[in-house]
């Protein structure tokens, strides 16, 4: 039952993922959450984010931001990193993920999702059939509704870690 919230992989950060490996494995699109996945909540795109998206483009990846945030926030970030975006995505609904794949011209089989929240990001991407990578939140300061979800996430992550150790 909890497995629907488990990522396929987890990494310290979106910036340490081996995107070259994923490209060699046939992945061609990467969908990212923005806040606390790429930068702290509501922070502008920094040099590291801009370098990541330039690197992905150089590898041959298409990319798209998928956020539940409002358009001004997501649009500004997307313009800074030169990628497509979807705002008010309604995660964990699969509609946003499907719209992102349509924008990128990718499929479930060749699209990777990177996010920091289990109950919205990972759950929605898993429901859509994407390969999921959970990253640790960049900054502890978050909106109250996310802080509350983090307590529940700890329970799920406890069982996720136990399962990983058994494998």
């Amino acid at each position: 039952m909890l497995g629907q919230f488990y990522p396929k992989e987890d990494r310290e950060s979106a910036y340490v993922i081996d995107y070259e490996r994923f490209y060699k494995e046939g992945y061609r699109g990467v969908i990212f959450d923005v806040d606390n996945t790429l930068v702290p909540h509501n922070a502008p795109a920094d040099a590291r984010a801009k370098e990541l998206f330039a690197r992905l483009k150089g590898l041959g990846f298409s990319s798209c931001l998928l956020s539940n945030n409002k358009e001004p926030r997501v649009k500004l970030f997307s313009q800074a990193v030169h990628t497509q975006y979807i705002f008010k995505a309604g995660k964990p609904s699969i509609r946003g993920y499907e719209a992102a794949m349509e924008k990128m011209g990718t499929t479930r089989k060749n699209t990777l999702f990177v996010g920091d929240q289990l109950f919205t990001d990972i759950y929605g991407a898993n429901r859509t059939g994407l390969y999921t990578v959970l990253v640790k939140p960049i900054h502890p300061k978050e909106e109250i509704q996310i802080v509350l979800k983090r307590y529940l996430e700890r329970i799920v992550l406890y069982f996720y870690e136990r399962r990983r150790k058994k494998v």
Side-chain angles (χ1 to χ4, degrees), residues 144-156:
I144 188 67
Q145 72 271 16
I146 296 171
V147 171
L148 297 173
K149 283 193 275 184
R150 294 286 185 202
Y151 288 108
L152 296 172
E153 281 186 358
R154 286 185 195 141
I155 297 166
V156 176

Side-chain angles (χ1 to χ4, degrees), residues 1-8 10 116-120 122-123 126 134 148-165:
M1 172 160 158
L2 291 179
Q4 61 193 337
F5 300 108
Y6 295 166
K8 301 289 188 287
D10 60 282
D116 71 298
Q117 292 187 55
L118 290 178
F119 300 131
T120 51
I122 300 303
Y123 177 57
N126 282 343
L134 176 70
L148 297 173
K149 283 193 275 184
R150 294 286 185 202
Y151 288 108
L152 296 172
E153 281 186 358
R154 286 185 195 141
I155 297 166
V156 176
L157 289 171
Y158 169 80
F159 288 103
Y160 168 70
E161 289 297 326
R162 278 186 51 189
R163 184 176 144 260
R164 273 189 24 188
K165 288 178 182 175

